[in-house]
Amino acid sequence: MKRIAFTIALFLSLGLSSVWAEENSTNNNVRTIKAPRFARPLVEKWIEEYAKTEPGVEFQIAKGSGNQENIDLNVEFDNQDKKDTKAFSHIVYFGETAVLPITARSSEAARLLEGKHLNAKKLKQLFFLNDDFDEDVKKIKAFENIIIYSGSNASSVASSFAHNFGEESSSFRGKRIAGDDLFLNTAIAKDPLGVTFNTLSNIFDLQSRHLKSDLSLVGLDLKKELESSFSDNGTLDDVLTILENGKPAEITIEKVAIMFNSTDEAVNRFLCWVLEHGTQYNHQFGLLNLDQKVAKAQISQVTNTLTALK
């Protein structure tokens, strides 16, 4: 009887060990990517296309906040605070995002700003708490009634927008909105005096390529031939093409990066594919392409790292 019990226990033990080994083996073939919502559709496209060429390793997007230790790749803005990303040894860039000031279409704020054509100095006056303005920039009375909404989430584009104008994110006027930057669109929809800013992928409909029907762009002081492209009648593709050929001071442009651990060969192989093939989807999902020299440098960096691992 004891021998039978021992045999059963042995088989159960071997069975459990087999299950654990199988699960562990599966987990070893899974890599997790943390991505802000504006970049998530692009990352999902990478995963879908890469699986067709490299089915042996699965890449997936992290759910919720997650444990940082379980993240293999982290997508973020270049100037984002990296205090929580010490586990990553390397960083590469795959594209850029542009940020434009917006308000709700047909709102009171849109009426107050109509025809203003704001330059960088006036945008700074509109969005930030600063009494030390240049003498040649007169205070615009309409600004006093406008309520500014800015993001406070760690992945918000707020810090990028502020740094473009030489400010800190703590200097914004108005109200701070927690959570994803898409909530900024919701905030101005509820406040007729609300003005905010957002990335192109949160402003434009990625299918129609036109501005979302409930949003209006704040008029900027741009060259006359660019005005129509940066109006409510412009298209996402026009904006992307223009900004890849020039970067006006009025428009925030920020590199988008991937942080990773260079010792993981599967991750390096995936990044090589992203930089060589995945960037062809940048425009589709509202991101600018990098300058060609910068793009080639990123590919060389990851290729050299992958070669060193072999």
Side-chain angles (χ1 to χ4, degrees):
M1 191 70 181
K2 289 182 179 179
R3 182 175 294 178
I4 293 173
F6 173 77
T7 302
I8 293 173
L10 179 62
F11 275 115
L12 286 173
S13 176
L14 289 172
L16 289 172
S17 297
S18 176
V19 171
W20 179 87
E22 184 178 347
E23 289 181 350
N24 192 51
S25 174
T26 302
N27 289 336
N28 285 339
N29 289 328
V30 175
R31 302 295 186 276
T32 304
I33 307 172
K34 182 179 179 182
R37 187 176 295 183
F38 85 89
R40 210 165 293 166
L42 174 59
V43 175
E44 288 173 346
K45 183 67 173 178
W46 291 346
I47 293 172
E48 176 188 347
E49 296 300 322
Y50 187 69
K52 298 175 183 177
T53 63
E54 194 74 31
V57 181
E58 179 186 349
F59 285 83
Q60 62 183 17
I61 293 181
K63 297 179 180 179
S65 56
N67 187 339
Q68 193 67 42
E69 295 179 359
N70 297 326
I71 304 299
D72 298 291
L73 303 101
N74 190 49
V75 179
E76 60 178 32
F77 298 119
D78 184 31
N79 71 10
Q80 195 170 315
D81 187 356
K82 298 177 176 59
K83 65 182 180 181
D84 296 326
T85 55
K86 294 178 181 178
F88 304 107
S89 58
H90 283 60
I91 183 170
V92 293
Y93 304 102
F94 63 88
E96 295 178 319
T97 187
V99 185
L100 296 176
I102 55 172
T103 187
R105 189 167 296 196
S106 302
S107 66
E108 178 64 11
R111 187 190 68 78
L112 290 171
L113 294 174
E114 187 175 3
K116 290 290 188 290
H117 300 292
L118 306 180
N119 59 23
K121 292 180 179 179
K122 289 179 181 178
L123 284 167
K124 186 173 179 177
Q125 182 186 137
L126 171 62
F127 282 94
F128 299 98
L129 294 166
N130 193 337
D131 294 327
D132 188 26
F133 292 113
D134 293 342
E135 293 182 0
D136 60 333
V137 180
K138 295 181 180 178
K139 287 191 175 183
I140 300 176
K141 191 172 182 179
F143 290 2
E144 297 175 4
N145 298 320
I146 288 173
I147 307 298
I148 298 298
Y149 289 88
S150 58
S152 62
N153 188 282
S155 62
S156 175
V157 76
S159 59
S160 298
F161 188 84
H163 290 170
N164 185 60
F165 297 101
E167 296 285 345
E168 297 298 325
S169 55
S170 58
S171 299
F172 279 110
R173 295 174 53 217
K175 302 178 180 180
R176 305 298 297 272
I177 302 296
D180 190 86
D181 277 351
L182 267 178
F183 295 143
L184 294 173
N185 294 6
T186 304
I188 61 173
K190 295 179 178 179
D191 187 343
L193 289 170
V195 170
T196 188
F197 48 84
N198 226 320
T199 58
L200 298 182
S201 57
N202 283 338
I203 293 173
F204 286 88
D205 183 313
L206 296 179
Q207 300 303 315
S208 72
R209 315 302 283 176
H210 288 280
L211 201 67
K212 292 181 177 179
S213 60
D214 57 343
L215 298 178
S216 181
L217 294 179
V218 172
L220 301 176
D221 185 25
L222 302 173
K223 294 179 180 178
K224 193 170 183 178
E225 61 268 26
L226 303 182
E227 287 182 4
S228 61
S229 296
F230 287 87
S231 71
D232 292 355
N233 297 318
T235 69
L236 174 58
D237 297 299
D238 286 343
V239 170
L240 290 170
T241 300
I242 290 168
L243 294 181
E244 284 180 350
N245 289 287
K247 296 177 171 60
E250 290 76 15
I251 299 175
T252 299
I253 307 290
E254 182 65 85
K255 286 187 177 65
V256 188
I258 304 176
M259 300 193 71
F260 64 104
N261 191 332
S262 65
T263 60
D264 190 327
E265 183 176 344
V267 166
N268 279 274
R269 288 168 63 86
F270 175 72
L271 286 175
C272 280
W273 180 90
V274 167
L275 297 174
E276 292 178 351
H277 305 287
T279 54
Q280 67 180 293
Y281 305 111
N282 279 0
H283 280 195
Q284 181 181 341
F285 294 99
L287 292 181
L288 287 73
N289 288 318
L290 294 173
D291 173 83
Q292 288 187 359
K293 289 183 179 180
V294 176
K296 287 180 180 179
Q298 304 309 297
I299 294 173
S300 296
Q301 177 185 330
V302 178
T303 302
N304 292 339
T305 302
L306 181 59
T307 302
L309 291 173
K310 294 181 178 180

